[in-house]
Amino acid sequence: MQTPDSLAFFNNGGPTLAASGPKALPPALRTYAAWRFDRVLPGSFTRNKAQFAHHLYPVLGPLPTAARNTPELERSRLNGPYVYFVCDAQDRVRYVGKSLEDRILQRWIRPGIGGPARHYWTHSTASGGCVFNIEKGLQSRESAHYTLRYVPIGEVPSEVWEQLGVSGSVDPRTAERAFISALCADWNQA
């Protein structure tokens, strides 16, 4: 049952991004650390994909350790689909996404052309995206690091879905939208 107190975490004084800004993950939600980005390395790279060919990507570090088989810092109990969160050093959720990949880091790692390595962090959209926001935040010292956290949708407790107003079978898109709205993830709004 939803009560004003049970929704307080997500509402935090108001429903709008401008009024409250990005929020932290709810304490009832156990997430796993996939990776922590803490620096921008020298160099840049491009991708061999038409829709992203115009981007000059930053090199975020630490680099993937085993290409697309790079292990997560913490492994989840269940497999995906996943919902994931990019959190700043203040634990505020800046971005929410979904993944159908077998392993969460496969969503983020792709081969690149040029630069100091063969595989890089490339999560982006045609107009920009996470890796560019992480670069900007690290260089401006807005945050000392950004942590990629994730949880299999099947591990999200029913009380969290209730607080989000989600009932029944939860698909990845519904999960993503619910968390974006509740956590005021500002990079999703840009």
Side-chain angles (χ1 to χ4, degrees):
M1 178 172 132
Q2 292 180 347
T3 66
D5 289 338
S6 71
L7 295 174
F9 173 81
F10 288 111
N11 291 336
N12 195 23
T16 65
L17 176 62
S20 58
K23 296 173 178 42
L25 292 166
L29 181 63
R30 162 70 164 107
T31 62
Y32 303 88
W35 203 257
R36 179 171 281 179
F37 306 99
D38 61 10
R39 58 189 165 274
V40 179
L41 300 169
S44 60
F45 67 96
T46 58
R47 286 187 58 197
N48 189 19
K49 192 167 184 179
Q51 73 187 85
F52 301 112
H54 63 286
H55 285 313
L56 191 59
Y57 284 87
V59 180
L60 299 179
L63 287 165
T65 57
R68 291 192 37 124
N69 294 317
T70 297
E72 294 80 11
L73 297 175
E74 298 174 339
R75 289 285 302 193
S76 60
R77 292 181 297 124
L78 302 176
N79 291 326
Y82 305 99
V83 62
Y84 60 87
F85 312 91
V86 176
C87 301
D88 61 21
Q90 295 77 36
D91 292 326
R92 297 175 301 180
V93 175
R94 307 305 297 272
Y95 184 84
V96 177
K98 64 185 177 315
S99 173
L100 303 176
E101 281 79 7
D102 293 333
R103 301 210 11 244
I104 193 69
L105 290 182
Q106 292 173 340
R107 178 94 174 122
W108 281 67
I109 300 169
R110 300 285 188 272
I113 301 169
R118 294 187 64 211
H119 286 82
Y120 300 96
W121 305 108
T122 62
H123 193 283
S124 60
T125 63
S127 63
C130 278
V131 295
F132 300 99
N133 289 325
I134 292 170
E135 173 196 34
K136 180 181 173 186
L138 290 172
Q139 289 181 331
S140 70
R141 299 180 198 266
E142 172 187 73
S143 185
H145 60 80
Y146 291 91
T147 303
L148 174 61
R149 303 196 66 79
Y150 72 104
V151 62
I153 290 173
E155 283 189 37
V156 176
S158 59
E159 69 185 84
V160 171
W161 292 130
E162 288 172 13
Q163 289 175 346
L164 291 168
V166 176
S167 60
S169 178
V170 182
D171 65 272
R173 183 68 180 137
T174 299
E176 178 186 42
R177 286 180 181 166
F179 278 113
I180 289 169
S181 176
L183 297 170
C184 300
D186 57 338
W187 294 354
N188 291 92
Q189 313 299 324

